[in-house]
């Protein structure tokens, strides 16, 4: 739930633990043409949508000098205020995010459907119809992630 996510984020912040690398596996993208949201199961305390403002209000974690966040959520790298850019700026850390809709695949470099017998599974954006347009089926190749580096403050 969104509440669980916020609670765990706050506990990590309060612990002061150094973060070298973080991977977020969550639903994300746009809703009503608003950029930069993450989606969770709603509960009695939260509506399930972590908005741009809520992302910005998350406490800044204690990142190492090489700290980074890998955001595995659909469309998390797209838009003027994408989740990736928002987290890079508000957390002061480099982010890597999805350049389109994310799919599970047996291969990191090209889309290969997964099933119960899959021995490997990767979550990436691939050049498939939803990422390249209705009139193209796409190559199936992995799409490079969007990298955001926070602006240096003077």
């Amino acid at each position: 739930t969104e509440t669980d996510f916020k609670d765990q984020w706050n506990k990590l912040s309060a612990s002061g633990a150094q973060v070298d690398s973080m991977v977020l596996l969550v639903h994300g993208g746009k809703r009503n043409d608003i950029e930069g949201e993450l989606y969770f199961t709603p509960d009695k305390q939260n509506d399930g949508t972590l908005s741009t403002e809520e992302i910005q209000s998350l406490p800044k974690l204690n990142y190492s000098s090489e700290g980074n966040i890998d955001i595995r959520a659909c469309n998390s790298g797209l838009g003027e205020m994408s989740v990736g850019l928002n987290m890079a700026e508000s957390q002061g850390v480099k982010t890597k995010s999805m350049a389109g809709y994310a799919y599970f695949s047996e291969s990191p470099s090209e889309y290969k459907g997964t099933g119960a017998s899959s021995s490997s599974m990767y979550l990436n954006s691939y050049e498939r119809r939803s990422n390249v347009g209705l009139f193209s089926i796409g190559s199936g190749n992995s799409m490079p992630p969007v990298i955001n580096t926070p602006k240096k403050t003077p």
Side-chain angles (χ1 to χ4, degrees), residues 79-106:
E80 288 182 35
M81 183 46 80
S82 67
V83 171
L85 178 59
N86 193 356
M87 286 204 146
E89 294 300 330
S90 63
Q91 293 293 308
V93 68
K94 182 178 174 179
T95 63
K96 178 170 76 169
S97 48
M98 301 283 97
Y101 289 96
Y103 296 91
F104 287 102
S105 171
E106 289 187 352

Side-chain angles (χ1 to χ4, degrees), residues 17-58:
Q18 188 172 63
V19 177
D20 293 322
S21 182
M22 177 185 294
V23 179
L24 301 179
L25 297 169
V26 63
H27 293 285
K30 304 184 239 183
R31 188 165 124 192
N32 300 326
D33 291 328
I34 298 171
E35 309 286 352
E37 296 179 328
L38 295 176
Y39 307 126
F40 301 87
T41 302
D43 60 21
K44 292 179 182 179
Q45 293 177 298
N46 288 285
D47 64 4
T49 299
L50 197 65
S51 68
T52 299
E53 293 79 18
E54 289 173 303
I55 292 169
Q56 291 168 350
S57 70
L58 291 170

Side-chain angles (χ1 to χ4, degrees), residues 131-149:
N131 287 334
V132 297
L134 287 177
F135 301 106
S136 173
I137 58 171
S139 68
N141 291 332
S142 179
M143 298 168 64
V146 177
I147 305 296
N148 288 288
T149 304

